[in-house]
Amino acid sequence: MINDLVRKNIRNLRPYSSARDEFKGEASVFLDANENAFGSPVSFSDESLNRYPDPLQAALKQHLSHIKGIPPQNIFVGNGSDEAIDLLVRIFCEPGTDNLITCPPTYGMYEVSANINDVQVLEVPLLPSFALDVEQILEKQNERTKLLFLCSPNNPTGNSLHPHDMELLVQKFNGIVVIDEAYINYAKQPSAISLLTEYENVVVLQTFSKAWGLAGLRVGMAFANEIIIGLLNKVKPPYNISKANQQLAISALQNINWVNTHIRATVHQRNLLMQKLAEIPAVQKIHPSDANFILVEVKDADSIYNTLKSKGIIMRNRSKIKGCENCLRITVGTPDENALLIKEMTQL
Ligand SMILES: *Cc1c(COP(=O)(O)O)cnc(C)c1O
């Protein structure tokens, strides 16, 4: 009965499967969700919570504005960047009519949000080098294409997209180009935020979930021109960021030294891990990474995944994804965790 009342696309929806969906058990080393292995710069401090929070997070945006060099009116704060992704689809795509473009292999939430909203997904796969197929993207767009989702550095491949390709798409694409920069803090390449000064059809997404060490907090950001920020604010639930979260996000921004220290540590560990992985016979290919994880092609991904799982080391098995055949995605852990990983992989 209830099922009959549900929208057909929601009924048929295959929900996003998170790392914690795919592995629920006990383990000593979790390297499967790209969290910050070093912890977080703040823990919870209590303040009276009887009053509603600032719906537009003015204080938090002031701090963000200072650090990012963007005016507060060009900043949206969401319940994770996942909220911004969903809002963008709901704002721009007419259900059952419009479409958006993704470039797989990439982050799964773009497609899930599209499916939830009954929006068609047009896929233009990345080239074998994991670079954008600019020509195909422009070829594929039609009069019903509203959004293009780019992810740089890309999850799960780890590479940054070429700035020139992204700018070209921003110039030539007929809709909004969303550039997801969840891993930008680990990248050599600067943020695409600078495109905002020149183009009105760009949205840059960033998050507190990765380098900022606050995946448990659920705070993400979108940077865009004032019209798009206005639309996001119009559609979002009024009090989407709790008072505690606003306060903790501000505390984190005041503790930027912690974050920068651990970005350097993570990049250092990533490079060490790549060197060590290269010496392991089962490893076929190590993809370049600008993120806090490494995509590694191995001889038999399922068997290695299971062997390491039995040792209490969990990574993300991405081998069923087109373009990532036989690949495991390994989050950079602490020095001890990485050493344990290498020890176990050496014994394969
Ligand atoms: C982890 C991740 C996010 C973060 O989402 P939040 O909702 O902010 O935690 C966004 N995009 C990509 C590509 C990611 O890998």
Side-chain angles (χ1 to χ4, degrees), residues 80-82 107 110 151 155 180 182-183 207 209-210 218-220:
S81 28
D82 289 345
Y107 188 47
Y110 316 136
C151 186
N155 178 6
D180 185 342
Y183 301 98
T207 179
S209 296
K210 307 289 156 58
R218 310 307 305 133
V219 182

Side-chain angles (χ1 to χ4, degrees), residues 16 33-34 79-83 85 106-110 151 153-155 180-183 205-210 214-215 218-221 293 329:
Y16 180 71
N34 297 348
N79 182 22
S81 28
D82 289 345
E83 180 176 32
I85 293 167
T106 192
Y107 188 47
M109 277 309 293
Y110 316 136
C151 186
N154 186 43
N155 178 6
D180 185 342
E181 294 188 333
Y183 301 98
L205 302 179
Q206 293 185 6
T207 179
F208 279 88
S209 296
K210 307 289 156 58
L214 294 168
R218 310 307 305 133
V219 182
M221 303 150 262
F293 58 86
R329 194 195 69 187

Side-chain angles (χ1 to χ4, degrees), residues 53-171:
D54 174 2
L56 291 174
Q57 309 99 17
L60 173 53
K61 284 177 186 170
Q62 271 305 333
H63 283 85
L64 278 170
S65 169
H66 188 67
I67 285 181
K68 302 288 174 187
I70 304 186
Q73 62 270 27
N74 295 108
I75 304 175
F76 168 82
V77 180
N79 182 22
S81 28
D82 289 345
E83 180 176 32
I85 293 167
D86 181 66
L87 291 174
L88 288 164
V89 176
R90 286 200 278 152
I91 287 166
F92 292 106
C93 300
E94 200 69 63
T97 306
D98 290 338
N99 63 66
L100 57 81
I101 295 180
T102 66
C103 303
T106 192
Y107 188 47
M109 277 309 293
Y110 316 136
E111 187 179 359
V112 172
S113 280
N115 290 342
I116 289 170
N117 293 295
D118 197 15
V119 168
Q120 191 192 358
V121 177
L122 306 180
E123 293 191 339
V124 181
L126 296 173
L127 298 166
S129 63
F130 296 142
L132 289 166
D133 192 339
V134 176
E135 220 170 284
Q136 272 306 310
I137 292 170
L138 295 174
E139 185 104 336
K140 195 110 183 184
Q141 71 174 340
N142 58 43
E143 66 286 351
R144 304 260 42 123
T145 307
K146 298 295 180 67
L147 296 171
L148 166 62
F149 279 98
L150 308 179
C151 186
S152 180
N154 186 43
N155 178 6
T157 58
N159 60 298
S160 289
L161 302 176
H162 299 301
H164 176 77
D165 288 350
M166 290 193 279
E167 182 160 5
L168 202 66
L169 284 167
V170 169
Q171 286 169 350

Side-chain angles (χ1 to χ4, degrees), residues 93-293:
C93 300
E94 200 69 63
T97 306
D98 290 338
N99 63 66
L100 57 81
I101 295 180
T102 66
C103 303
T106 192
Y107 188 47
M109 277 309 293
Y110 316 136
E111 187 179 359
V112 172
S113 280
N115 290 342
I116 289 170
N117 293 295
D118 197 15
V119 168
Q120 191 192 358
V121 177
L122 306 180
E123 293 191 339
V124 181
L126 296 173
L127 298 166
S129 63
F130 296 142
L132 289 166
D133 192 339
V134 176
E135 220 170 284
Q136 272 306 310
I137 292 170
L138 295 174
E139 185 104 336
K140 195 110 183 184
Q141 71 174 340
N142 58 43
E143 66 286 351
R144 304 260 42 123
T145 307
K146 298 295 180 67
L147 296 171
L148 166 62
F149 279 98
L150 308 179
C151 186
S152 180
N154 186 43
N155 178 6
T157 58
N159 60 298
S160 289
L161 302 176
H162 299 301
H164 176 77
D165 288 350
M166 290 193 279
E167 182 160 5
L168 202 66
L169 284 167
V170 169
Q171 286 169 350
K172 302 238 170 115
F173 186 71
N174 292 327
I176 309 286
V177 179
V178 184
I179 304 177
D180 185 342
E181 294 188 333
Y183 301 98
I184 192 68
N185 308 71
Y186 303 106
K188 282 203 190 75
Q189 199 165 297
S191 166
I193 279 178
S194 57
L195 293 174
L196 294 181
T197 49
E198 219 173 320
Y199 306 100
E200 60 174 21
N201 62 330
V202 193
V203 179
V204 175
L205 302 179
Q206 293 185 6
T207 179
F208 279 88
S209 296
K210 307 289 156 58
W212 286 90
L214 294 168
L217 202 60
R218 310 307 305 133
V219 182
M221 303 150 262
F223 306 105
N225 77 65
E226 283 182 61
I227 297 172
I228 295 179
I229 298 299
L231 287 162
L232 288 163
N233 286 332
K234 190 174 169 185
V235 177
K236 81 178 180 69
Y239 305 109
N240 61 329
I241 310 295
S242 75
K243 196 182 262 187
N245 277 3
Q246 293 187 40
Q247 205 184 75
L248 286 166
I250 290 170
S251 303
L253 292 171
Q254 289 167 332
N255 203 356
I256 194 169
N257 289 337
W258 185 99
V259 177
N260 286 333
T261 300
H262 289 94
I263 289 169
R264 285 193 294 272
T266 302
V267 169
H268 178 68
Q269 285 297 314
R270 178 183 78 203
N271 296 340
L272 275 182
L273 203 49
M274 283 179 140
Q275 283 171 23
K276 296 266 165 62
L277 284 167
E279 294 163 11
I280 290 169
V283 170
Q284 303 281 78
K285 183 169 185 182
I286 301 164
H287 290 279
S289 173
D290 244 358
N292 67 339
F293 58 86

